[in-house]
């Protein structure tokens, strides 16, 4: 129990040593499930986040706003990242992109609307941008 493993594990290693000597104590390669994407592809997915999304606004040298793709997303989202990775030849799902970014310590936050403010003197001019979404009813306890 000093090594923090079970007696069964110790017996397994002893049998391997008795069979193959010191070479039997080396870690066997090829164990476990193979990775779905390579490390290079994983780094390319992470690098995508550092780029500006295709629909985000930028300033041109003549002080004019423009977007690379006016119909593209202005903020990165998991679906958009997965689609961009797939367009780059990486076969990766939305959930895999999420796991990659969580492993890197990335935290996702919903973009805050500029029509809402914590300032008590701020009064919005009109209703928020999603007028088609009905307001949430409070839950009854």
């Amino acid at each position: 129990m000093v090594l923090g493993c079970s007696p069964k594990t110790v017996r397994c290693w002893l049998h391997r040593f008795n069979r193959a000597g010191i070479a039997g104590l080396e870690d066997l390669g090829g164990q476990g499930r193979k990775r779905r994407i390579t490390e290079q592809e994983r780094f390319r997915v992470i690098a995508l986040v550092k780029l500006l999304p295709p629909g985000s606004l930028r300033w041109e040298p003549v002080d004019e706003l423009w977007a690379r793709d006016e119909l593209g997303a202005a903020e990165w989202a998991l679906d958009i990242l997965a689609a961009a990775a797939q367009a780059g030849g990486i076969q990766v799902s939305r959930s895999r992109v999420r796991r990659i970014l969580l492993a890197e310590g990335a935290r996702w936050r919903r973009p805050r609307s500029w029509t809402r403010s914590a300032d008590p003197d701020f009064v919005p001019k009109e209703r928020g941008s999603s007028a088609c979404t009905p307001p949430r009813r409070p839950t009854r306890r």
Side-chain angles (χ1 to χ4, degrees):
M1 292 304 164
V2 174
L3 298 176
C5 58
S6 69
K8 182 178 178 181
T9 303
V10 173
R11 281 192 299 275
C12 175
W13 283 100
L14 279 172
H15 290 299
R16 281 179 61 183
F17 176 75
N18 289 336
R19 238 179 300 127
I22 294 291
L25 298 179
E26 291 182 20
D27 197 20
L28 298 176
Q31 302 293 318
R33 185 176 183 186
K34 305 291 183 232
R35 288 185 175 260
R36 292 182 184 203
I37 64 172
T38 64
E39 279 297 307
Q40 184 67 25
E41 290 173 331
R42 185 176 176 278
F43 289 132
R44 286 175 48 204
V45 169
I46 294 167
L48 275 175
V49 178
K50 296 179 182 179
L51 300 174
L52 288 174
S56 66
L57 294 175
R58 306 154 206 227
W59 285 101
E60 276 192 7
V62 292
D63 289 338
E64 188 174 306
L65 281 174
W66 69 281
R68 186 172 38 144
D69 179 8
E70 291 184 10
L71 299 177
E75 299 285 333
W76 283 125
L78 292 175
D79 292 325
I80 311 275
L81 280 168
Q86 290 169 4
I90 304 170
Q91 294 304 314
V92 65
S93 66
R94 176 187 191 275
S95 60
R96 174 72 53 196
V97 170
R98 180 179 178 275
R99 278 183 246 137
I100 289 170
L101 296 176
L102 284 176
E104 287 297 312
R107 286 193 269 164
W108 292 94
R109 294 185 189 157
R110 172 174 258 145
R112 293 183 70 186
S113 171
W114 60 271
T115 61
R116 295 188 181 98
S117 173
D119 184 6
D121 296 330
F122 177 79
V123 178
K125 294 179 182 174
E126 58 185 56
R127 190 172 168 179
S129 62
S130 59
C132 63
T133 306
R136 286 174 56 178
R137 295 187 177 125
T139 57
R140 297 181 185 183
R141 292 184 181 212

